[in-house]
Amino acid sequence: LATGNGGTGATSFAPGKILQVVQHAFTTEQNYNNSSYEASFITGAITPSATSSKVFVMVETVATNNDTNSSYSKGRIYRGTTAIGNEIHYDRLDSSGNSIYRYMPISLNYLDSPNTTSATTYTFYRLKQGGGLGYIGINTTLSTLTLMEIGA
């Protein structure tokens, strides 16, 4: 990282060293009912210092659904318009299959290899299947997107 940006000015780093951390915090509640993936408000960018760097992406929020036991939501991380990592599936059923209204903490992580030194945007996308609405950022609880550049 350049000295003007608070770095040491060094141009090489030991593998695995955390080079920078960028955290984006939000206190927004959002509902949705789209049956295909669409972007949420949880989004932010990081500019890697080397093409060999990896970016560890961490999404934290709270979610729920407000419909019958046939409804569920899914979420996943996107780099730009490209889906990366695995989906997370969340619904409102208890262990007996009964429909309940509950808040579900969502924690989704992925170690990405963007292969660029350009600003790279990451976004949490979500979708809703079945009736009713899905929600994230319940009661304006803190939702975060943390991006860590890791030297390769």
Side-chain angles (χ1 to χ4, degrees):
L1 194 60
T3 55
N5 292 332
T8 63
T11 56
S12 70
F13 300 96
K17 181 176 179 169
I18 296 174
L19 305 180
Q20 64 173 310
V21 177
V22 179
Q23 185 173 65
H24 305 275
F26 310 91
T27 53
T28 303
E29 180 175 301
Q30 185 177 58
N31 64 57
Y32 54 97
N33 64 357
N34 197 333
S35 61
S36 58
Y37 274 113
E38 63 181 0
S40 75
F41 61 87
I42 303 171
T43 188
I46 190 169
T47 303
S49 58
T51 57
S52 60
S53 292
K54 301 206 179 290
V55 175
F56 188 57
V57 183
M58 297 176 281
V59 173
E60 302 284 336
T61 192
V62 177
T64 195
N65 293 314
N66 73 349
D67 195 41
T68 65
N69 59 11
S70 63
S71 89
Y72 63 90
S73 292
K74 290 183 181 180
R76 78 182 310 167
I77 298 168
Y78 276 64
R79 178 190 345 103
T81 58
T82 302
I84 57 174
N86 293 321
E87 294 179 316
I88 188 168
H89 178 209
Y90 48 100
D91 59 28
R92 56 177 288 183
L93 301 181
D94 66 14
S95 60
S96 302
N98 298 312
S99 179
I100 60 172
Y101 191 76
R102 66 177 178 189
Y103 298 159
M104 296 161 279
I106 302 296
S107 180
L108 191 57
N109 305 313
Y110 184 71
L111 183 62
D112 190 29
S113 300
N115 194 32
T116 186
T117 56
S118 297
T120 304
T121 300
Y122 293 91
T123 305
F124 178 70
Y125 276 60
R126 72 282 184 281
L127 64 76
K128 177 78 169 64
Q129 294 291 325
L133 295 171
Y135 296 86
I136 58 172
I138 304 302
N139 295 326
T140 64
T141 55
L142 184 66
S143 298
T144 59
L145 171 67
T146 306
L147 305 170
M148 295 185 356
E149 180 186 3
I150 302 170

